[in-house]
Amino acid sequence: MAPHTDPSGSSGARFHGPSDLHLHSDHSDGTEPPARVMAAAHAAGIRTAALTDHDTTSGWAEAADAAASLGMTLLPGMELSARHDWRSVHVLGYLLDPDDLVLRAMTDRIRRSRLTRARTMADRIGRDYELSWEDIEKQTTAGATVGRPHLADALVAKGHVVDRSEAFAGILHPRSPYYVELYAPDPVEAVAAITGAGGVAIVAHPAGRAGLLPARVIDRMLGAGLAGFELGHRENVEPALSTLRELVDRRGLIATGSSDYHGLGKPNVPGEYTTSDDMVARIIDRAHGSAPVFP
Ligand code: AMP
Ligand code: FE
Ligand code: FE
Ligand code: ZN
């Protein structure tokens, strides 16, 4: 029996909303440590939260301690980097086994690639702007999953741009001469790895301005165990969102809503989108890789 299974057979009795299932800490590209992230969510009225740092589970322990002292429920999670053709795809994984060997091999490879890629981008930028690798290190918590947001913060600190948004619109844009791709698995592999680790896979911000993934890719992801889509997210736009909503209804999939909070790194605030209690219960009931932290 999975350790989190409630004797009554219902996970619903053990947690309550409002629930925000997509939050980042400084273990990836958020600006606050996990305990501060949990406190920020709590202050916004959130009672069930998921920490979903990019490609790492290293913030779980601190978030669990914070959840316990705040009387919140924590769903440990991760946002796994994937790519289909040129398109970056983010797959949220909830309640997965952090020691699963296949998943760990995947995240280790992504994180190694992220480091090489950040160094290469810093070198390229350094030819035109005063910027050294030490400047990026200063913006990155030791052991964190490094990404373009850390390069952006270094560019801000050096006075080359005013904020992350300006950096992403210019120097760090995929079409900029300084841009370098990172290794990321195919989205089908990413879903299979999360599912194989006992987790529940949900596509993050699936209806952004880049448009929907091709239907055949979504079908293959569903075949690999994809559980649903993050329909509530500020980056989702019509008509892609309505198309996905129909798919979710037709196939009885899980639909979530969350903030994608990054501390000061993005304008997103905890609780700006939330997930219903019945959807949270379905996630908990479907998962068997790790246990939620209940109050
Ligand atoms: P990377 O995975 O290193 O290519 O960087 C992508 C990350 O940058 C995403 O996880 C976003 O959270 C963040 N990001 C993308 N665009 C922006 C933006 N305009 N402002 C702040 N952060 C952004
Ligand atoms: Fe991010
Ligand atoms: Fe994302
Ligand atoms: Zn995110």
Side-chain angles (χ1 to χ4, degrees):
M1 187 174 80
H4 63 265
T5 303
D6 187 71
S8 72
S10 161
S11 52
R14 307 227 16 216
F15 75 94
H16 62 86
S19 303
D20 187 336
L21 304 185
H22 188 165
L23 306 163
H24 292 268
S25 78
D26 64 358
H27 286 245
S28 63
D29 56 355
T31 58
E32 302 166 336
R36 289 251 313 270
V37 173
M38 296 301 287
H42 187 269
I46 295 302
R47 294 297 175 263
T48 296
L51 184 73
T52 54
D53 278 309
H54 298 284
D55 310 313
T56 185
T57 60
S58 62
W60 285 13
E62 183 181 323
D65 286 348
S69 62
L70 292 161
M72 297 172 72
T73 299
L74 173 73
L75 270 54
M78 182 169 77
E79 186 174 12
L80 187 56
S81 304
R83 189 169 62 246
H84 175 73
D85 294 339
W86 49 269
R87 183 202 303 257
S88 154
V89 181
H90 286 174
V91 186
L92 293 159
Y94 297 109
L95 300 167
L96 46 82
D97 175 3
D99 299 321
D100 181 85
L101 292 178
V102 173
L103 185 64
R104 284 205 65 142
M106 190 175 274
T107 53
D108 285 352
R109 183 170 176 198
I110 297 168
R111 286 159 47 80
R112 273 199 306 277
S113 161
R114 283 178 161 286
L115 195 56
T116 314
R117 175 252 207 164
R119 283 180 175 275
T120 309
M121 284 186 71
D123 285 346
R124 291 188 183 182
I125 296 166
R127 288 176 206 151
D128 294 332
Y129 298 85
E130 206 230 304
L131 186 78
S132 67
W133 180 246
E134 288 67 43
D135 296 322
I136 288 98
E137 282 186 321
K138 265 185 227 161
Q139 303 299 326
T140 312
T141 305
T145 300
V146 69
R148 281 182 291 159
H150 301 99
L151 292 163
D153 291 347
L155 289 165
V156 173
K158 283 296 197 178
H160 300 312
V161 294
V162 298
D163 58 14
R164 283 188 181 183
S165 297
E166 188 188 343
F168 272 91
I171 297 172
L172 302 178
H173 194 277
R175 281 193 295 275
S176 128
Y178 312 117
Y179 187 80
V180 178
E181 280 294 1
L182 58 89
Y183 160 77
D186 180 89
V188 180
E189 276 179 66
V191 168
I194 290 168
T195 308
V200 177
I202 303 280
V203 183
H205 38 78
R209 282 193 310 173
L212 291 181
L213 279 165
R216 67 174 197 296
V217 177
I218 292 180
D219 278 342
R220 287 174 53 227
M221 292 169 80
L222 288 167
L226 180 67
F229 295 88
E230 186 182 54
L231 295 186
H233 187 291
R234 64 159 66 201
E235 285 168 28
N236 289 334
V237 291
E238 297 293 353
L241 182 56
S242 292
T243 305
L244 269 187
R245 207 180 292 282
E246 273 168 39
L247 177 74
V248 164
D249 290 346
R250 185 157 30 92
R251 313 246 328 216
L253 305 174
I254 294 175
T256 64
S258 297
S259 66
D260 205 356
Y261 178 65
H262 280 69
L264 300 174
K266 278 188 170 183
N268 311 36
V269 293
E272 66 177 35
Y273 286 92
T274 55
T275 301
S276 69
D277 286 1
D278 58 317
M279 292 296 174
V280 175
R282 282 178 64 184
I283 291 172
I284 292 173
D285 290 344
R286 187 173 168 130
H288 54 89
S290 63
V293 177
F294 289 114

